[in-house]
PDB file of all heavy atoms in Angstrom:
ATOM      1  N   LEU H  15     194.189  91.140  39.525  1.00 98.00           N
ATOM      2  CA  LEU H  15     194.921  91.969  40.484  1.00 98.00           C
ATOM      3  C   LEU H  15     196.383  91.542  40.478  1.00 98.00           C
ATOM      4  O   LEU H  15     196.711  90.416  40.882  1.00 98.00           O
ATOM      5  CB  LEU H  15     194.346  91.803  41.895  1.00 98.00           C
ATOM      6  CG  LEU H  15     192.949  92.359  42.097  1.00 98.00           C
ATOM      7  CD1 LEU H  15     191.926  91.258  41.929  1.00 98.00           C
ATOM      8  CD2 LEU H  15     192.838  92.977  43.458  1.00 98.00           C
ATOM      9  N   GLU H  16     197.244  92.415  39.988  1.00 98.00           N
ATOM     10  CA  GLU H  16     198.677  92.139  39.889  1.00 98.00           C
ATOM     11  C   GLU H  16     199.323  92.460  41.233  1.00 98.00           C
ATOM     12  O   GLU H  16     199.244  93.589  41.709  1.00 98.00           O
ATOM     13  CB  GLU H  16     199.286  92.972  38.779  1.00 98.00           C
ATOM     14  CG  GLU H  16     198.647  92.718  37.423  1.00 98.00           C
ATOM     15  CD  GLU H  16     199.213  93.590  36.322  1.00 98.00           C
ATOM     16  OE1 GLU H  16     200.350  94.091  36.458  1.00 98.00           O
ATOM     17  OE2 GLU H  16     198.514  93.770  35.302  1.00 98.00           O
ATOM     18  N   CYS H  17     199.960  91.453  41.847  1.00 98.00           N
ATOM     19  CA  CYS H  17     200.407  91.568  43.232  1.00 98.00           C
ATOM     20  C   CYS H  17     201.903  91.323  43.392  1.00 98.00           C
ATOM     21  O   CYS H  17     202.465  90.420  42.773  1.00 98.00           O
ATOM     22  CB  CYS H  17     199.654  90.556  44.092  1.00 98.00           C
ATOM     23  SG  CYS H  17     197.852  90.720  43.990  1.00 98.00           S
ATOM     24  N   ARG H  18     202.517  92.130  44.283  1.00 98.00           N
ATOM     25  CA  ARG H  18     203.920  91.955  44.662  1.00 98.00           C
ATOM     26  C   ARG H  18     203.982  91.595  46.145  1.00 98.00           C
ATOM     27  O   ARG H  18     203.468  92.331  46.996  1.00 98.00           O
ATOM     28  CB  ARG H  18     204.713  93.231  44.428  1.00 98.00           C
ATOM     29  CG  ARG H  18     205.013  93.492  42.987  1.00 98.00           C
ATOM     30  CD  ARG H  18     206.117  94.560  42.847  1.00 98.00           C
ATOM     31  NE  ARG H  18     206.154  94.976  41.469  1.00 98.00           N
ATOM     32  CZ  ARG H  18     205.640  96.112  41.001  1.00 98.00           C
ATOM     33  NH1 ARG H  18     205.069  96.968  41.832  1.00 98.00           N
ATOM     34  NH2 ARG H  18     205.721  96.410  39.731  1.00 98.00           N
ATOM     35  N   VAL H  19     204.618  90.481  46.444  1.00 98.00           N
ATOM     36  CA  VAL H  19     204.718  89.984  47.819  1.00 98.00           C
ATOM     37  C   VAL H  19     205.550  90.941  48.665  1.00 98.00           C
ATOM     38  O   VAL H  19     206.632  91.370  48.260  1.00 98.00           O
ATOM     39  CB  VAL H  19     205.346  88.573  47.837  1.00 98.00           C
ATOM     40  CG1 VAL H  19     205.545  88.080  49.267  1.00 98.00           C
ATOM     41  CG2 VAL H  19     204.494  87.594  47.035  1.00 98.00           C
ATOM     42  N   THR H  20     205.030  91.271  49.838  1.00 98.00           N
ATOM     43  CA  THR H  20     205.772  92.106  50.786  1.00 98.00           C
ATOM     44  C   THR H  20     206.254  91.308  51.995  1.00 98.00           C
ATOM     45  O   THR H  20     207.233  91.677  52.630  1.00 98.00           O
ATOM     46  CB  THR H  20     204.910  93.288  51.285  1.00 98.00           C
ATOM     47  OG1 THR H  20     203.746  92.771  51.937  1.00 98.00           O
ATOM     48  CG2 THR H  20     204.506  94.195  50.131  1.00 98.00           C
ATOM     49  N   GLU H  21     205.539  90.218  52.287  1.00 98.00           N
ATOM     50  CA  GLU H  21     205.884  89.433  53.470  1.00 98.00           C
ATOM     51  C   GLU H  21     205.244  88.058  53.367  1.00 98.00           C
ATOM     52  O   GLU H  21     204.164  87.919  52.789  1.00 98.00           O
ATOM     53  CB  GLU H  21     205.358  90.157  54.712  1.00 98.00           C
ATOM     54  CG  GLU H  21     205.777  89.571  56.023  1.00 98.00           C
ATOM     55  CD  GLU H  21     205.305  90.417  57.214  1.00 98.00           C
ATOM     56  OE1 GLU H  21     204.768  91.522  57.032  1.00 98.00           O
ATOM     57  OE2 GLU H  21     205.471  89.918  58.341  1.00 98.00           O
ATOM     58  N   ILE H  22     205.910  87.061  53.917  1.00 98.00           N
ATOM     59  CA  ILE H  22     205.350  85.709  53.992  1.00 98.00           C
ATOM     60  C   ILE H  22     205.281  85.328  55.468  1.00 98.00           C
ATOM     61  O   ILE H  22     206.291  85.359  56.173  1.00 98.00           O
ATOM     62  CB  ILE H  22     206.212  84.685  53.225  1.00 98.00           C
ATOM     63  CG1 ILE H  22     206.362  85.096  51.765  1.00 98.00           C
ATOM     64  CG2 ILE H  22     205.596  83.280  53.339  1.00 98.00           C
ATOM     65  CD1 ILE H  22     207.390  84.281  50.991  1.00 98.00           C
ATOM     66  N   LEU H  23     204.079  85.013  55.911  1.00 98.00           N
ATOM     67  CA  LEU H  23     203.879  84.603  57.297  1.00 98.00           C
ATOM     68  C   LEU H  23     203.669  83.095  57.334  1.00 98.00           C
ATOM     69  O   LEU H  23     202.701  82.581  56.762  1.00 98.00           O
ATOM     70  CB  LEU H  23     202.655  85.310  57.896  1.00 98.00           C
ATOM     71  CG  LEU H  23     202.698  86.836  57.894  1.00 98.00           C
ATOM     72  CD1 LEU H  23     201.369  87.399  58.360  1.00 98.00           C
ATOM     73  CD2 LEU H  23     203.825  87.329  58.781  1.00 98.00           C
ATOM     74  N   GLU H  24     204.579  82.381  58.003  1.00 97.00           N
ATOM     75  CA  GLU H  24     204.473  80.925  58.126  1.00 97.00           C
ATOM     76  C   GLU H  24     203.572  80.634  59.319  1.00 97.00           C
ATOM     77  O   GLU H  24     203.985  80.717  60.464  1.00 97.00           O
ATOM     78  CB  GLU H  24     205.862  80.318  58.282  1.00 97.00           C
ATOM     79  CG  GLU H  24     206.728  80.569  57.059  1.00 97.00           C
ATOM     80  CD  GLU H  24     208.102  79.938  57.136  1.00 97.00           C
ATOM     81  OE1 GLU H  24     208.362  79.139  58.069  1.00 97.00           O
ATOM     82  OE2 GLU H  24     208.918  80.224  56.246  1.00 97.00           O
ATOM     83  N   LEU H  25     202.320  80.284  59.030  1.00 96.00           N
ATOM     84  CA  LEU H  25     201.300  80.213  60.070  1.00 96.00           C
ATOM     85  C   LEU H  25     200.957  78.807  60.544  1.00 96.00           C
ATOM     86  O   LEU H  25     200.273  78.651  61.535  1.00 96.00           O
ATOM     87  CB  LEU H  25     200.018  80.894  59.564  1.00 96.00           C
ATOM     88  CG  LEU H  25     200.191  82.366  59.177  1.00 96.00           C
ATOM     89  CD1 LEU H  25     198.935  82.894  58.509  1.00 96.00           C
ATOM     90  CD2 LEU H  25     200.553  83.198  60.392  1.00 96.00           C
ATOM     91  N   GLY H  26     201.375  77.801  59.840  1.00 95.00           N
ATOM     92  CA  GLY H  26     200.990  76.425  60.155  1.00 95.00           C
ATOM     93  C   GLY H  26     200.790  75.682  58.861  1.00 95.00           C
ATOM     94  O   GLY H  26     201.678  75.656  58.009  1.00 95.00           O
ATOM     95  N   SER H  27     199.611  75.101  58.668  1.00 96.00           N
ATOM     96  CA  SER H  27     199.348  74.333  57.445  1.00 96.00           C
ATOM     97  C   SER H  27     199.475  75.195  56.186  1.00 96.00           C
ATOM     98  O   SER H  27     199.831  74.719  55.118  1.00 96.00           O
ATOM     99  CB  SER H  27     197.948  73.709  57.484  1.00 96.00           C
ATOM    100  OG  SER H  27     196.948  74.721  57.496  1.00 96.00           O
ATOM    101  N   HIS H  28     199.168  76.488  56.306  1.00 97.00           N
ATOM    102  CA  HIS H  28     199.253  77.432  55.195  1.00 97.00           C
ATOM    103  C   HIS H  28     200.209  78.567  55.564  1.00 97.00           C
ATOM    104  O   HIS H  28     200.298  78.958  56.725  1.00 97.00           O
ATOM    105  CB  HIS H  28     197.881  78.029  54.884  1.00 97.00           C
ATOM    106  CG  HIS H  28     196.926  77.064  54.280  1.00 97.00           C
ATOM    107  ND1 HIS H  28     196.390  76.003  54.969  1.00 97.00           N
ATOM    108  CD2 HIS H  28     196.403  77.002  53.030  1.00 97.00           C
ATOM    109  CE1 HIS H  28     195.577  75.320  54.180  1.00 97.00           C
ATOM    110  NE2 HIS H  28     195.556  75.908  52.995  1.00 97.00           N
ATOM    111  N   HIS H  29     200.878  79.072  54.545  1.00 98.00           N
ATOM    112  CA  HIS H  29     201.683  80.279  54.713  1.00 98.00           C
ATOM    113  C   HIS H  29     200.953  81.398  53.983  1.00 98.00           C
ATOM    114  O   HIS H  29     200.464  81.208  52.871  1.00 98.00           O
ATOM    115  CB  HIS H  29     203.081  80.093  54.132  1.00 98.00           C
ATOM    116  CG  HIS H  29     203.894  79.076  54.875  1.00 98.00           C
ATOM    117  ND1 HIS H  29     205.183  78.776  54.534  1.00 98.00           N
ATOM    118  CD2 HIS H  29     203.608  78.284  55.947  1.00 98.00           C
ATOM    119  CE1 HIS H  29     205.667  77.849  55.347  1.00 98.00           C
ATOM    120  NE2 HIS H  29     204.714  77.534  56.212  1.00 98.00           N
ATOM    121  N   MET H  30     200.878  82.551  54.631  1.00 98.00           N
ATOM    122  CA  MET H  30     200.165  83.688  54.053  1.00 98.00           C
ATOM    123  C   MET H  30     201.145  84.609  53.328  1.00 98.00           C
ATOM    124  O   MET H  30     202.137  85.051  53.899  1.00 98.00           O
ATOM    125  CB  MET H  30     199.444  84.469  55.139  1.00 98.00           C
ATOM    126  CG  MET H  30     198.691  85.683  54.590  1.00 98.00           C
ATOM    127  SD  MET H  30     197.951  86.681  55.902  1.00 98.00           S
ATOM    128  CE  MET H  30     196.573  85.625  56.331  1.00 98.00           C
ATOM    129  N   PHE H  31     200.831  84.872  52.062  1.00 98.00           N
ATOM    130  CA  PHE H  31     201.588  85.829  51.275  1.00 98.00           C
ATOM    131  C   PHE H  31     200.844  87.163  51.346  1.00 98.00           C
ATOM    132  O   PHE H  31     199.746  87.283  50.795  1.00 98.00           O
ATOM    133  CB  PHE H  31     201.681  85.384  49.811  1.00 98.00           C
ATOM    134  CG  PHE H  31     202.563  84.187  49.591  1.00 98.00           C
ATOM    135  CD1 PHE H  31     202.059  82.909  49.760  1.00 98.00           C
ATOM    136  CD2 PHE H  31     203.885  84.338  49.200  1.00 98.00           C
ATOM    137  CE1 PHE H  31     202.854  81.794  49.551  1.00 98.00           C
ATOM    138  CE2 PHE H  31     204.694  83.224  48.989  1.00 98.00           C
ATOM    139  CZ  PHE H  31     204.187  81.951  49.169  1.00 98.00           C
ATOM    140  N   LEU H  32     201.424  88.140  52.029  1.00 98.00           N
ATOM    141  CA  LEU H  32     200.887  89.497  52.024  1.00 98.00           C
ATOM    142  C   LEU H  32     201.462  90.193  50.808  1.00 98.00           C
ATOM    143  O   LEU H  32     202.651  90.059  50.515  1.00 98.00           O
ATOM    144  CB  LEU H  32     201.278  90.247  53.294  1.00 98.00           C
ATOM    145  CG  LEU H  32     200.692  89.720  54.590  1.00 98.00           C
ATOM    146  CD1 LEU H  32     201.289  90.465  55.779  1.00 98.00           C
ATOM    147  CD2 LEU H  32     199.188  89.856  54.597  1.00 98.00           C
ATOM    148  N   ALA H  33     200.629  90.943  50.104  1.00 98.00           N
ATOM    149  CA  ALA H  33     201.096  91.553  48.863  1.00 98.00           C
ATOM    150  C   ALA H  33     200.431  92.887  48.604  1.00 98.00           C
ATOM    151  O   ALA H  33     199.259  93.084  48.940  1.00 98.00           O
ATOM    152  CB  ALA H  33     200.819  90.609  47.691  1.00 98.00           C
ATOM    153  N   GLU H  34     201.200  93.790  48.000  1.00 98.00           N
ATOM    154  CA  GLU H  34     200.636  95.050  47.519  1.00 98.00           C
ATOM    155  C   GLU H  34     200.091  94.826  46.120  1.00 98.00           C
ATOM    156  O   GLU H  34     200.688  94.107  45.321  1.00 98.00           O
ATOM    157  CB  GLU H  34     201.701  96.139  47.473  1.00 98.00           C
ATOM    158  CG  GLU H  34     201.959  96.754  48.831  1.00 98.00           C
ATOM    159  CD  GLU H  34     202.703  98.068  48.747  1.00 98.00           C
ATOM    160  OE1 GLU H  34     202.340  98.921  47.909  1.00 98.00           O
ATOM    161  OE2 GLU H  34     203.654  98.221  49.537  1.00 98.00           O
ATOM    162  N   VAL H  35     198.953  95.430  45.841  1.00 98.00           N
ATOM    163  CA  VAL H  35     198.376  95.374  44.507  1.00 98.00           C
ATOM    164  C   VAL H  35     199.090  96.438  43.678  1.00 98.00           C
ATOM    165  O   VAL H  35     198.985  97.639  43.955  1.00 98.00           O
ATOM    166  CB  VAL H  35     196.852  95.599  44.528  1.00 98.00           C
ATOM    167  CG1 VAL H  35     196.298  95.614  43.112  1.00 98.00           C
ATOM    168  CG2 VAL H  35     196.177  94.515  45.370  1.00 98.00           C
ATOM    169  N   ALA H  36     199.837  95.974  42.672  1.00 98.00           N
ATOM    170  CA  ALA H  36     200.627  96.883  41.828  1.00 98.00           C
ATOM    171  C   ALA H  36     199.798  97.444  40.684  1.00 98.00           C
ATOM    172  O   ALA H  36     200.121  98.494  40.136  1.00 98.00           O
ATOM    173  CB  ALA H  36     201.850  96.144  41.282  1.00 98.00           C
ATOM    174  N   GLY H  37     198.748  96.729  40.297  1.00 97.00           N
ATOM    175  CA  GLY H  37     197.895  97.176  39.210  1.00 97.00           C
ATOM    176  C   GLY H  37     196.692  96.268  39.072  1.00 97.00           C
ATOM    177  O   GLY H  37     196.684  95.143  39.582  1.00 97.00           O
ATOM    178  N   VAL H  38     195.671  96.766  38.406  1.00 98.00           N
ATOM    179  CA  VAL H  38     194.435  96.008  38.191  1.00 98.00           C
ATOM    180  C   VAL H  38     194.048  96.124  36.727  1.00 98.00           C
ATOM    181  O   VAL H  38     194.108  97.216  36.151  1.00 98.00           O
ATOM    182  CB  VAL H  38     193.284  96.547  39.080  1.00 98.00           C
ATOM    183  CG1 VAL H  38     191.980  95.808  38.800  1.00 98.00           C
ATOM    184  CG2 VAL H  38     193.648  96.463  40.553  1.00 98.00           C
ATOM    185  N   GLN H  39     193.671  95.010  36.133  1.00 97.00           N
ATOM    186  CA  GLN H  39     193.115  95.022  34.782  1.00 97.00           C
ATOM    187  C   GLN H  39     191.671  94.537  34.876  1.00 97.00           C
ATOM    188  O   GLN H  39     191.371  93.600  35.617  1.00 97.00           O
ATOM    189  CB  GLN H  39     193.909  94.105  33.845  1.00 97.00           C
ATOM    190  CG  GLN H  39     195.324  94.587  33.587  1.00 97.00           C
ATOM    191  CD  GLN H  39     196.024  93.783  32.512  1.00 97.00           C
ATOM    192  OE1 GLN H  39     195.448  93.484  31.478  1.00 97.00           O
ATOM    193  NE2 GLN H  39     197.278  93.438  32.770  1.00 97.00           N
ATOM    194  N   VAL H  40     190.773  95.203  34.136  1.00 96.00           N
ATOM    195  CA  VAL H  40     189.362  94.815  34.108  1.00 96.00           C
ATOM    196  C   VAL H  40     188.912  94.664  32.658  1.00 96.00           C
ATOM    197  O   VAL H  40     189.396  95.369  31.775  1.00 96.00           O
ATOM    198  CB  VAL H  40     188.449  95.826  34.842  1.00 96.00           C
ATOM    199  CG1 VAL H  40     188.819  95.919  36.316  1.00 96.00           C
ATOM    200  CG2 VAL H  40     188.483  97.183  34.198  1.00 96.00           C
ATOM    201  N   SER H  41     187.984  93.739  32.435  1.00 95.00           N
ATOM    202  CA  SER H  41     187.464  93.492  31.091  1.00 95.00           C
ATOM    203  C   SER H  41     186.507  94.602  30.681  1.00 95.00           C
ATOM    204  O   SER H  41     185.534  94.883  31.389  1.00 95.00           O
ATOM    205  CB  SER H  41     186.725  92.150  31.041  1.00 95.00           C
ATOM    206  OG  SER H  41     187.618  91.106  31.322  1.00 95.00           O
TER     207      SER H  41
END
């Protein structure tokens, strides 16, 4: 799943990268 970050949420121990899926490749 090829992803482009739209937002980073600094939540505490982890930061969440929200991303749109720009494309998908499957075998």
Side-chain angles (χ1 to χ4, degrees):
L15 292 96
E16 302 178 22
C17 304
R18 285 195 192 103
V19 176
T20 60
E21 187 175 353
I22 303 170
L23 301 173
E24 297 182 9
L25 301 172
S27 64
H28 290 69
H29 294 181
M30 179 185 285
F31 290 85
L32 294 174
E34 280 196 46
V35 177
V38 177
Q39 293 188 44
V40 298
S41 297

